[in-house]
Amino acid sequence: MNDTDKLQQAFRELTPTAPRLFHAPGGVNLIGEHTDYNDGFVLPVAIDRGTTVAGAKRDDRRVRVRSLNMEETVEFDLDVPGDSQRGIWLDYVEGMARTLEARGVRLCGADLALHSDIPDGAGLSSSAALEISVGMALLTLSGARMDRVALALAGQEAEHKYVGTRCGIMDQLTVTCARAGHALLIDCRTLENIYIPLDTASTAIVVADTGIKHRLASSAYSERRAECERAVEILREPLPHIRALRDVCVADFERHQMILPEPVRSRCKHVVKENKSALLAAQALHSGDVAKMGRLMNCSHKSLRDDYEVSCAELDVMVKSAQSLPGATLGARMTGGGFGGATVNLVRRDALEGFPDAIALDYLWITNISPSIYVVEASDGAAEITDGNV
Ligand code: GLA
């Protein structure tokens, strides 16, 4: 039985009504890390793994949800106020429903069954995929519409208020707006995005999950955000026009860096350079200069490791393993929030065959942990599935 059949079967255990199917992909960021909450640029792709929801409308205002991954069925009532930040998976689902209602959408009750094949805690936007797939299902079943950017913003708000993670907007926008065969250059201030075609014939994207779940991730993430805000406060003295680190160019940083205390200076250095690199990377991809794209990815890892200090020993080993295969690897870096999770690798398609095993063995040899390696395809954003296939 494939995953869609399992989902349909789980749904039939909830209700005999025929379901509609919705899918939201996970995502991986190629470059532009820790720039989204600084109003900067990011360059992610959606991947060919995601969360699928089978759903049907109910006549009342109850939402019953079966998660195949958690092997659990739970429910809540849209007319009865609920709790937030309980630390359970329902926070994402219920949070999304309540956020949509708070934004003026009247939802109907629904029966939902969910299944995800995105590894959790690997920095592959599994939370955003859950929020957006559920949000799209509830909206569609209720006969309501919302544009993709508004849906992404609702997902981010659900995560802030109901899950308690102050994430940026990258993951939710990737999941809603991505396009197959393209990376998405997102301006996280205006929320505009430009589709950059990928040369999928000659390059492949490989995600290597270290198997280390984000350690200390949420406290360190808030700390980094606060350090960036502090940098803006201090730099506003000589540069009164700036609103976020997005407004600081490399020359400005170099001119004024000495007024910043450490570690704020190093954090600022990473963000300012990374922001520029995201734009250069988009240009490089656009002009087919994959070697330059790879070099920018390698530099990004170095700066995340040394200046932003969000890498960890296992991520560094995984990156080094890939970089020690120059015939195959164009670039390798940690991706996502850091402190565990996965690396993203840009690999020559003609040398792809031995690549996953080579880095997996090297990593296993050094860390004694067996990693999961995924060759991913840049995929479309969230949608209703009308042909039965994801
Ligand atoms: C996490 C957040 C994103 C982004 C990345 C770092 O994945 O969810 O919004 O800030 O970290 O680039």
Side-chain angles (χ1 to χ4, degrees):
M1 215 193 296
N2 68 25
D3 288 343
T4 312
D5 292 340
K6 278 191 215 149
L7 188 66
Q8 303 255 21
Q9 190 187 48
F11 186 79
R12 276 195 295 277
E13 287 163 18
L14 282 177
T15 168
T17 318
R20 289 168 75 172
L21 294 177
F22 304 86
H23 177 81
V28 65
N29 190 16
L30 299 180
I31 196 161
E33 213 65 84
H34 289 276
T35 46
D36 62 350
Y37 52 83
N38 289 298
D39 277 6
F41 295 94
V42 292
L43 191 65
V45 298
I47 61 172
D48 50 343
R49 289 179 164 261
T51 300
T52 307
V53 178
K57 168 181 175 167
R58 293 173 58 92
D59 293 332
D60 56 16
R61 294 251 297 157
R62 279 160 63 211
V63 180
R64 284 199 304 164
V65 201
R66 168 101 191 131
S67 161
L68 266 75
N69 299 74
M70 304 306 289
E71 299 182 346
E72 203 180 3
T73 306
V74 283
E75 67 171 83
F76 60 95
D77 192 319
L78 290 165
D79 291 322
V80 181
D83 291 330
S84 60
Q85 303 188 17
R86 295 160 293 190
I88 54 174
W89 64 272
L90 189 63
D91 289 342
Y92 295 91
V93 176
E94 190 172 341
M96 195 62 199
R98 298 203 187 277
T99 304
L100 291 174
E101 288 236 312
R103 291 181 165 229
V105 184
R106 172 89 183 163
L107 296 176
C108 57
D111 288 313
L112 305 175
L114 319 173
H115 177 261
S116 168
D117 62 358
I118 311 171
D120 266 347
L124 298 179
S125 309
S126 57
S127 308
L130 177 55
E131 291 146 13
I132 301 302
S133 58
V134 166
M136 188 170 268
L138 289 174
L139 284 170
T140 313
L141 296 173
S142 306
R145 298 184 76 108
M146 190 174 264
D147 75 56
R148 287 178 178 270
V149 172
L151 179 60
L153 286 166
Q156 184 194 27
E157 188 182 324
E159 190 141 345
H160 285 197
K161 282 199 188 153
Y162 289 88
V163 179
T165 308
R166 272 185 77 213
C167 59
I169 190 63
M170 169 171 67
D171 300 9
Q172 288 80 5
L173 269 182
T174 309
V175 166
T176 51
C177 297
R179 186 183 289 172
H182 293 74
L184 199 60
L185 176 67
I186 305 175
D187 179 334
C188 297
R189 171 170 283 163
T190 63
L191 307 186
E192 280 163 351
N193 43 62
I194 300 175
Y195 296 98
I196 314 282
L198 292 166
D199 181 358
T200 50
S202 64
T203 57
I205 299 169
V206 181
V207 170
D209 184 357
T210 58
I212 304 290
K213 303 275 176 217
H214 302 283
R215 284 175 301 213
L216 302 169
S218 78
S219 58
Y221 190 84
S222 309
E223 222 174 81
R224 296 297 180 281
R225 279 190 82 133
E227 286 160 349
C228 291
E229 283 160 18
R230 182 85 190 106
V232 173
E233 258 169 45
I234 300 173
L235 287 172
R236 235 190 236 129
E237 179 72 37
L239 303 167
H241 65 281
I242 65 168
R243 275 161 53 202
L245 286 184
R246 139 76 171 269
D247 303 312
V248 180
C249 65
V250 175
D252 281 341
F253 170 75
E254 279 166 359
R255 199 168 312 124
H256 301 294
Q257 58 169 311
M258 292 322 286
I259 62 171
L260 297 170
E262 284 295 4
V264 174
R265 190 189 311 156
S266 299
R267 309 297 189 242
C268 183
K269 181 177 169 196
H270 165 75
V271 174
V272 169
K273 293 197 166 168
E274 182 78 359
N275 218 15
K276 185 171 175 198
S277 296
L279 288 170
L280 289 174
Q283 255 173 18
L285 278 185
H286 205 264
S287 59
D289 191 347
V290 289
K292 179 164 185 193
M293 171 71 195
R295 286 195 299 276
L296 289 163
M297 289 171 74
N298 292 338
C299 288
S300 165
H301 184 76
K302 200 163 169 288
S303 142
L304 286 159
R305 184 191 64 199
D306 301 341
D307 292 327
Y308 217 63
E309 294 183 283
V310 289
S311 188
C312 64
E314 294 84 354
L315 283 167
D316 294 343
V317 168
M318 193 71 95
V319 164
K320 220 168 157 195
S321 300
Q323 287 171 346
S324 67
L325 302 168
T329 310
L330 291 155
R333 57 181 284 277
M334 55 152 278
T335 187
F339 300 100
T343 67
V344 60
N345 305 270
L346 190 67
V347 180
R348 290 180 206 281
R349 187 77 62 185
D350 57 9
L352 179 62
E353 208 184 307
F355 179 83
D357 283 352
I359 59 168
L361 275 175
D362 202 33
Y363 181 79
L364 174 64
W365 175 252
I366 298 169
T367 63
N368 210 17
I369 303 167
S370 188
S372 306
I373 317 284
Y374 311 97
V375 178
V376 297
E377 300 299 334
S379 301
D380 279 324
E384 180 167 6
I385 306 166
T386 46
D387 60 0
N389 294 312
V390 174

